[in-house]
């Protein structure tokens, strides 16, 4: 994607111009010595992220540096367009997502009460002026930001479809369990370039298998308030 | 307070499609027009309470303080900010805010409003990064927010019109568009994950759609009093909040990623009247 060579060449070519113009000052208040107009918009975006000191140098909760977090994987690259992916991209993304998914040997439903808390919690993975400390509090799934689960709970998002009565309508067959596990782990297997995050993929594991089993219980357990509307 | 007489001066030069948007208008009048023109926008109509409070927007209280700060002789160099050029000439504030970011010859780069303000406070007044006047970026008590509110208010009702004539302005705007759609971070979000559709909600917040100009002009109209924070907030503060929610890395103030995003988002509101200052949830 971002061609390091192109930038290096750009820097060499424009260093002399910048020097004669007297604007190659390191305090950041002067223009940089890179000709940003020589880059494509994509190259410039990568340059701005990685070479202009725009982000805090912090360690990420999932491990690694801010650079690791900001570096796109193939799926993120493929989905960085406006609107829906074209047929070719969609097919490629589904294939990528399927290839990296590892099905667990067996899937069991956990505790829907714990699942309700996890689905509700927006804590976790935030970085910057305030940084979520996972040693103080477990990270949640953010599901409520985008989905209605239980309309009796106020303030639920509508970016994704309502999941009210999800289990009541579908049951708890092996096929349903497998499908829901697949969607929560990596929804791009079914919805290429969906807005929904991958919670357990080759990129990283945001929710543990146990946490996913609790959230699945919240969605599917006949006792869960989601299924008793 | 705000000098009406000054505003009556011929702003009418800003011709074109958005002719009537070229003149200064009270922020409440701008909002009322947006509401009337878009009776079905769930985003614009989401808070009856805020709409009612708009004539008494607490952000208006910062304007006087900002004006005093602007004309006061301050800093180690003991000069006012009248020498600061926001793109329309030294001390010319009318319409300046809606025509940023722009390329500045003296620094050789594209700068957004806050970056330019800080530049002037340092270069003209002699403040350093550690002086509270510059270091404190957020909150009603900060010089930066008081100055921002006063200066932005001089562009209320005028159409967003960030210049794109200089190749660097165009380059930053285009990179900002790429950044808007760039999926990344711990949760694969881009800005469009939440601002790609009209009327969608994150919890109780109805989200503005970027391609809907009349929603988007209100969305990018910062400074705004944020009722939930009980403080006036800036464009940079909004970006920091969204990037934080996105689980990208922590963004710093006065940085080119901010400038690029603002170049794009002000352009996405081009031609639509700014609500300055606004009132948000």
């Amino acid at each position: 994607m971002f061609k390091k060579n192109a930038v290096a060449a750009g820097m060499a070519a424009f260093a002399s111009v910048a020097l004669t113009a007297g604007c190659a000052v390191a305090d950041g208040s002067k223009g940089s010595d890179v000709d940003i107009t020589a880059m494509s918009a994509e190259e410039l975006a990568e340059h701005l992220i990685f070479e202009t000191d725009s982000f805090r140098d912090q360690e990420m909760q999932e491990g690694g540096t801010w650079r690791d977090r900001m570096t796109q994987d193939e799926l993120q690259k493929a989905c960085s367009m406006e609107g829906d992916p074209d047929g070719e991209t969609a097919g490629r993304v589904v294939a990528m997502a399927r290839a990296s998914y590892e099905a667990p040997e067996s899937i069991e439903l956990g505790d829907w009460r714990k699942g309700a808390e996890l689905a509700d919690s927006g804590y976790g993975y935030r970085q910057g002026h305030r940084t979520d400390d996972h040693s103080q509090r477990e990270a949640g799934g953010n599901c409520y930001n985008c989905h209605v689960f239980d309309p009796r709970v106020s303030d639920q998002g509508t970016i994704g479809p309502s999941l009210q009565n999800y289990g009541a309508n579908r049951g708890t067959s092996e096929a349903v369990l497998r499908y829901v596990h697949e969607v929560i782990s990596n929804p791009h297997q079914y919805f290429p370039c969906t807005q929904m995050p991958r919670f357990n993929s080759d990129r990283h594991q945001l929710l543990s298998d146990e946490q996913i089993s609790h959230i699945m219980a919240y969605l599917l357990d006949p006792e869960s308030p989601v299924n008793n509307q | 307070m705000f000098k009406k007489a000054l505003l009556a001066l011929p702003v009418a030069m800003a011709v074109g499609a958005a002719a009537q948007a070229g003149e200064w208008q009270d922020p409440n009048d701008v909002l009322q027009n947006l509401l009337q023109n878009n009776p079905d926008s769930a985003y614009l109509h989401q808070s009856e309470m805020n709409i009612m409070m708009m004539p008494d927007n607490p952000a208006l209280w910062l304007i006087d303080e900002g004006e005093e700060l602007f004309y006061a002789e301050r800093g180690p160099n003991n000069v006012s900010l009248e020498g600061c050029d926001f793109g329309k000439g030294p001390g010319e504030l009318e319409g300046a805010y809606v025509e940023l970011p722009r390329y500045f010859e003296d620094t050789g780069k594209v700068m957004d409003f806050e970056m330019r303000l800080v530049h002037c406070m340092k270069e003209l007044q002699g403040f350093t990064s550690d002086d509270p006047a510059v270091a404190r970026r957020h909150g009603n008590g900060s010089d930066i927010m008081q100055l921002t509110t006063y200066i932005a208010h001089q562009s209320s009702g005028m159409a967003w019109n960030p210049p794109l004539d200089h190749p660097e302005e165009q380059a930053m705007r285009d990179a900002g568009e790429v950044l808007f759609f760039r999926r990344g971070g711990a949760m694969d979000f881009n800005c469009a994950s939440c601002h790609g559709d009209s009327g969608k909600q994150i919890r109780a917040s109805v989200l503005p759609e970027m391609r809907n100009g009349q929603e988007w002009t209100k969305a990018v109209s910062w400074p705004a009093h944020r009722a939930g924070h009980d403080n006036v907030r800036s464009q940079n503060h909004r970006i920091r909040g969204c990037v934080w929610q996105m689980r990208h890395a922590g963004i710093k103030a006065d940085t080119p990623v901010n400038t690029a995003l603002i170049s794009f988002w002000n352009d996405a509101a081009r031609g639509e009247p700014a609500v300055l200052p606004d009132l948000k949830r």
Side-chain angles (χ1 to χ4, degrees):
Chain A
M1 178 142 195
F2 176 56
K3 299 179 198 81
K4 282 247 162 33
N5 309 352
V7 174
M11 283 176 78
F14 290 93
S16 54
V17 181
L19 284 174
T20 41
C23 59
V25 177
D27 70 4
S29 73
K30 299 285 182 181
S32 87
D33 48 4
V34 179
D35 180 10
I36 65 169
T37 63
M39 301 180 200
S40 72
E42 287 75 18
E43 285 166 350
L44 179 53
E46 297 301 300
H47 171 77
L48 295 178
I49 291 174
F50 292 108
E51 314 297 338
T52 64
D53 196 22
S54 285
F55 292 95
R56 293 173 192 236
D57 187 7
Q58 292 171 314
E59 198 191 316
M60 302 295 116
Q61 291 93 344
E62 69 275 20
T65 66
W66 72 272
R67 280 178 186 275
D68 297 325
R69 187 184 273 192
M70 293 304 288
T71 302
Q72 289 182 304
D73 68 8
E74 288 305 313
L75 188 141
Q76 290 176 336
K77 277 185 203 168
C79 291
S80 293
M81 81 297 271
E82 180 165 9
D84 296 326
D86 59 31
E88 190 272 326
T89 308
R92 200 154 50 85
V93 167
V94 169
M96 243 188 268
R98 286 207 185 133
S100 69
Y101 176 74
E102 280 175 46
E105 266 173 32
S106 69
I107 304 172
E108 260 147 56
L109 297 183
D111 178 348
W112 65 260
R113 287 175 193 80
K114 287 188 185 150
E117 272 168 38
L118 286 164
D120 184 50
S121 166
Y123 194 80
Y125 297 98
R126 291 170 300 195
Q127 282 282 341
H129 54 295
R130 274 180 289 145
T131 296
D132 291 335
D133 180 351
H134 292 193
S135 72
Q136 295 298 311
R137 191 174 153 195
E138 121 187 275
N142 257 302
C143 319
Y144 269 112
N145 277 334
C146 297
H147 294 288
V148 173
F149 287 81
D150 176 351
R152 287 166 296 200
V153 179
S154 62
D155 295 356
Q156 303 176 81
T158 60
I159 291 182
S162 167
L163 302 174
Q164 184 184 344
N165 280 321
Y166 195 79
N169 294 335
R170 268 157 252 247
T172 52
S173 67
E174 179 69 15
V176 168
L177 295 188
R178 294 217 163 272
Y179 167 74
V180 176
H181 190 273
E182 284 163 10
V183 169
I184 295 175
S185 301
N186 189 342
H188 299 270
Q189 298 180 86
Y190 294 93
F191 311 104
C193 299
T194 178
Q195 295 107 311
M196 178 160 155
R198 291 169 286 176
F199 288 98
N200 184 1
S201 71
D202 51 334
R203 184 169 171 89
H204 43 231
Q205 183 160 15
L206 303 182
L207 292 173
S208 68
D209 291 332
E210 194 195 328
Q211 288 175 313
I212 292 179
S213 78
H214 296 322
I215 294 175
M216 285 181 62
Y218 183 50
L219 271 175
L220 297 171
D221 192 322
E223 299 292 310
S224 157
V226 170
N227 298 315
N228 288 286
Q229 311 290 331
Chain B
M1 176 145 178
F2 183 55
K3 302 186 193 78
K4 290 256 181 218
L6 226 115
L7 296 172
L9 286 175
V11 205
M13 310 290 87
V15 276
Q20 105 271 45
E23 276 174 49
W24 189 91
Q25 287 177 67
D26 184 90
N28 185 41
D29 295 342
V30 186
L31 178 67
Q32 290 304 327
N33 279 333
L34 290 174
L35 293 170
Q36 263 165 32
N37 295 342
N38 301 277
D40 300 326
S41 165
Y43 169 67
L44 291 172
H45 289 271
Q46 68 178 305
S47 172
E48 221 174 286
M49 172 89 138
N50 283 354
I51 293 170
M52 259 168 48
M53 261 175 62
M54 190 65 179
D56 302 313
N57 183 355
L60 297 169
W61 304 339
L62 272 66
I63 294 171
D64 283 349
E65 292 160 312
E67 182 175 19
E68 253 170 55
L69 283 174
F70 188 83
Y71 292 102
E73 286 162 355
R74 302 175 72 223
N77 300 343
N78 205 32
V79 292
S80 80
L81 282 169
E82 284 167 283
C84 185
D85 182 355
F86 286 96
K88 312 204 71 121
E92 293 295 330
L93 301 182
E94 207 175 296
Y97 191 81
V98 289
E99 294 188 23
L100 286 165
R102 67 162 71 225
Y103 180 84
F104 288 92
E105 289 291 342
D106 56 3
T107 54
K109 68 176 180 184
V110 177
M111 301 171 92
D112 58 64
F113 171 77
E114 190 169 312
M115 210 182 227
R116 188 66 184 172
L117 175 60
V118 167
H119 168 81
C120 287
M121 290 172 80
K122 287 183 180 171
E123 296 295 315
L124 298 178
Q125 297 184 308
F127 288 113
T128 66
S129 300
D130 297 332
D131 287 323
V134 165
R136 288 190 55 210
R137 294 301 171 92
H138 306 301
N140 286 2
S142 68
D143 294 357
I144 295 276
M145 286 316 300
Q146 293 174 1
L147 284 162
T148 301
T149 309
Y150 167 64
I151 296 167
H153 188 54
Q154 318 301 312
S155 296
S156 186
M158 299 180 194
W160 294 103
N161 188 23
L164 293 175
D165 306 324
H166 193 282
E168 291 209 10
E169 290 165 348
Q170 184 72 49
M172 288 295 272
R173 181 244 165 250
D174 292 350
E177 182 166 21
V178 171
L179 290 171
F180 196 91
F181 292 106
R182 185 184 187 276
R183 303 281 298 249
M187 292 199 179
D188 305 326
F189 287 132
N190 62 14
C191 307
S193 301
C194 297
H195 300 293
D197 292 308
S198 186
K200 294 282 181 176
Q201 268 173 255
I202 285 264
R203 302 235 172 193
S205 304
V206 183
L207 301 168
E209 183 200 357
M210 184 272 289
R211 291 295 180 201
N212 179 333
Q214 299 235 310
E215 285 188 356
W216 199 247
T217 184
K218 177 163 162 58
V220 301
S221 285
W222 304 91
H225 173 80
R226 254 195 99 176
H229 292 192
D230 200 17
N231 266 294
V232 176
R233 298 305 194 192
S234 62
Q235 289 198 331
N236 292 62
H237 188 272
R238 184 63 256 174
I239 289 183
R240 192 183 77 169
C242 282
V243 170
W244 183 74
Q245 283 182 63
M246 286 166 85
R247 279 80 177 172
H248 286 201
I251 193 161
K252 294 186 188 172
D254 292 342
T255 53
V257 167
N258 271 305
T259 311
L261 278 169
I262 295 174
S263 294
F264 173 65
W265 85 8
N266 284 355
D267 180 57
R270 180 178 298 284
E272 303 294 347
V275 190
L276 296 171
D278 190 21
L279 173 58
K280 289 179 167 74
R281 38 188 327 276

